[in-house]
Amino acid sequence: MKFLGNVLAVIVGLFVFSILGVLLMFGLIGIVASSSGSEEVSVSENTVLHLDLNGRTIVERTSEDDLDLSMFGNPFGQEFNAGLINLKKAIAEAKTNENIKGIYLNTGLVMAGQASLLELREALIDFKTSGKFIIAYDEAYTEGGYYIASVADEIYLNPLGGIDFNGFSSEGIFFKGLFEKVGVKPEIFRVGEFKSAVEPFILEKNSPEARLQTQSFLDDMNQFALHAVSDSRGIPYDSLKKINDMMLVRKPQDAVSYGLATELLYFDQVLSKLKEKLGVDEEDDIETINATDLNKTAKSKNLTSKNRIAVIIAEGEIVGGDADGVISSDKFAKEIRKARKDDNIKAIVLRVNSPGGSVVASEVIWREMAEAKKAKPVYVSMGEVAASGGYYISAPADTIVAQPNTITGSIGIFGMMFNAQELLNKHLGITTDVVKTGELSDFMNPTRPMTEVERNIIQNTVEDGYETFITRVSEGRGMSPEAVKEVASGRVWTGNQAKERGLVDVLGGLNTTIDLAASRIGAGDDYRVVYYPTKKPWFETIMEDLGESVQIKMFQSKLGSNYELIKQVEKLKSYEGIQVRMPQEFIIK
């Protein structure tokens, strides 16, 4: 026993030492950051903006003082994010900064939705109007990574690399078989034949309706992407579509033969190309700067302007309460209310990137949006996805702007509960016995089948919720309820398709929306954009992520190969109750 105690003591000691080491590392980083933060960042002559997005997930926004910590490795498996707003700001600054001569892109393994990729791509296309160069290089490109890189003047690929250029696919995960094995029966309530969020729990494959809508928006998004690549690379659309449909780029040389890449080169050879562009000697170093540092050199405009446009970033699932990392009803209602009551805020832009969530939380935010609209112009800019609850909170806006490849719509509602009686009784040997005062005192008890009375109550609640959703859209969009129902039923649309059906007003990104708001208030160039909610400092954020990552690693160690399954089952909790949520979590690849 003493030996075992000593072993445990050593293990605990090593664990504590590791944690202290990590804390010390971050402490040193903090000291370096605080000391360097007082020094003014400058851009040397003949500098290249280096945008390295490999392995990074593009989110709407990161802290302004965000640091690149990837140099320390990734011991806890945390994600490294890149803020879309921050990246666009850096590209715009590079366009006008005389010391920036061009951009060097590494985007091969970037992780982002199509609408975010489009906004970044549009920023790069605008940069090219300056006459400055863009060079892209990577060892491998995903479809999304290549979509961004295709705007470059020259695209280089490693001689043993590859480009994934074979169209889009979306694969759903279905739990029916699992539930049957463990003895859990889902109780489903929904309105709308396309509201397929519940299908993974009751079917083994897509329903015809789900397959139809998924095929429709995938085809539209793929066609849009192919037209963009066709224009950038000068490849006829029909030829490019054939390359894409048949996956003709199978070897590195195929990418060059079909015009997707300029040349097959190694990294050192690409550096030589960059040096030629810059006119420096082969033995000289290339001056580079990243987006974060370049943004520190950018001068803020119109700091004293009383014409302020509030941009409220709403990203994540919609939930009740006041949580971080999601669209929590209390927090975002407060942000919208604050912008409404601030006399210096002349217009509000809600940037929505959400698949939806709680119907009650969506209603709370909808109310604040409707009240804000009475006081000042309210606009919505849709990001990668603004569906179901994401559309619900968007409906009151004066104008809705979406990208052509945004996923939106999904105007529908569902409810889901789980009956675990068989799991408890048959598989676990657990029985329950209820004593109650009324027929419905144990309403929705998960240890027994639901009664017809309970089913009718919930189904009526879902149907009432659907009618409320239809009314919110009808009033906000100036459409009749009948017209809304024709494009509702839980069906998902691309931004292009939504505009054709009256659910979206203008195609464009966040900058387009801000320009529309500025024009509406007659501000000209005399306005300032203020972002809400306030971002936490990078150190606070990374420590929170670190704590979560340690917990994840501990669970992974305990559960082994079962971890991913448990994680999926754990997520089912968020589906219980009445939801306005996107039909499925579409993983497009």
Side-chain angles (χ1 to χ4, degrees), residues 187 189 417 419 443-445 448-452 454-455 458:
E187 300 276 5
F189 309 88
M417 287 74 190
N419 170 16
F443 184 62
M444 295 193 306
N445 187 334
R448 60 166 174 77
M450 298 187 75
T451 66
E452 282 304 311
E454 288 175 316
R455 289 193 180 93
I458 297 174

Side-chain angles (χ1 to χ4, degrees), residues 114 117 141-147 163-171 214-215 217-227 229 237 240-249 260 587-589:
Q114 290 298 302
L117 296 176
Y141 285 97
T142 62
E143 197 110 17
Y146 182 76
Y147 180 58
I163 296 178
D164 181 16
F165 193 72
N166 57 354
F168 297 156
S169 66
S170 175
E171 184 175 11
T214 305
Q215 189 70 58
F217 73 70
L218 283 180
D219 287 343
D220 193 52
M221 293 170 72
N222 192 49
Q223 181 180 358
F224 181 82
L226 289 177
H227 275 294
V229 174
Y237 174 80
L240 191 66
K241 190 174 186 307
K242 182 179 179 180
I243 295 169
N244 189 254
D245 287 346
M246 301 180 66
M247 202 182 80
L248 295 181
V249 178
L260 272 68
I587 301 173
I588 300 173
K589 53 189 179 179

Side-chain angles (χ1 to χ4, degrees), residues 470-498:
I470 294 296
T471 300
R472 300 293 181 245
V473 177
S474 172
E475 293 173 349
R477 301 301 300 158
M479 301 168 64
S480 69
E482 293 72 27
V484 176
K485 287 181 179 179
E486 288 182 5
V487 296
S489 295
R491 180 158 184 177
V492 169
W493 309 100
T494 64
N496 260 332
Q497 295 167 336

Side-chain angles (χ1 to χ4, degrees), residues 387-444:
S388 209
Y391 194 87
Y392 197 120
I393 65 176
S394 303
D398 296 294
T399 301
I400 296 178
V401 182
Q403 289 285 22
N405 51 8
T406 293
I407 295 177
T408 188
S410 188
I411 301 169
I413 187 169
F414 71 91
M416 183 165 60
M417 287 74 190
F418 296 98
N419 170 16
Q421 185 181 49
E422 183 182 341
L423 170 63
L424 294 172
N425 298 172
K426 183 177 179 180
H427 299 293
L428 300 179
I430 298 173
T431 59
T432 61
D433 188 18
V434 177
V435 178
K436 56 186 180 180
T437 61
E439 182 183 353
L440 298 174
S441 296
D442 64 337
F443 184 62
M444 295 193 306

Side-chain angles (χ1 to χ4, degrees), residues 46-51 91 94-95 98-105 124-136 149 151-156 270-280 286-288:
N46 223 19
T47 293
V48 173
L49 172 60
H50 183 198
L51 297 181
I91 294 169
K95 177 184 175 182
E98 294 181 356
N99 289 331
I100 300 290
K101 301 304 178 183
I103 293 177
Y104 174 47
L105 283 178
L124 291 168
I125 290 173
D126 179 66
F127 170 84
K128 290 179 69 174
T129 62
S130 66
K132 300 178 181 182
F133 68 82
I134 299 180
I135 285 182
V151 306
D153 303 294
E154 300 164 22
I155 303 173
Y156 298 111
V270 175
L271 290 183
S272 296
K273 292 285 185 179
L274 280 169
K275 290 176 181 180
E276 287 179 19
K277 293 280 186 183
L278 297 170
V280 301
I286 298 174
E287 291 287 344
T288 64

Side-chain angles (χ1 to χ4, degrees), residues 279-322:
V280 301
D281 294 333
E282 186 64 31
E283 62 272 13
D284 291 338
D285 292 330
I286 298 174
E287 291 287 344
T288 64
I289 191 169
N290 61 32
T292 300
D293 285 343
L294 181 57
N295 283 337
K296 292 177 182 177
T297 71
K299 295 180 180 179
S300 299
K301 300 177 182 178
N302 302 328
L303 286 176
T304 60
S305 176
K306 291 187 177 180
N307 297 320
R308 298 184 181 181
I309 298 174
V311 176
I312 303 173
I313 306 295
E315 184 173 29
E317 293 189 3
I318 301 175
V319 301
D322 189 12

Side-chain angles (χ1 to χ4, degrees), residues 333-351:
K334 189 184 300 181
E335 296 289 352
I336 297 168
R337 194 181 311 123
K338 183 167 61 176
R340 167 167 62 90
K341 293 183 176 181
D342 188 338
D343 292 337
N344 288 326
I345 300 296
K346 307 302 182 183
I348 297 172
V349 173
L350 186 69
R351 172 70 169 184

Side-chain angles (χ1 to χ4, degrees), residues 51-56 106-111 137-140:
L51 297 181
D52 184 2
L53 301 180
N54 273 326
R56 294 185 178 271
N106 298 126
T107 62
L109 301 179
V110 65
M111 292 173 280
Y137 167 77
D138 256 301
E139 296 169 3

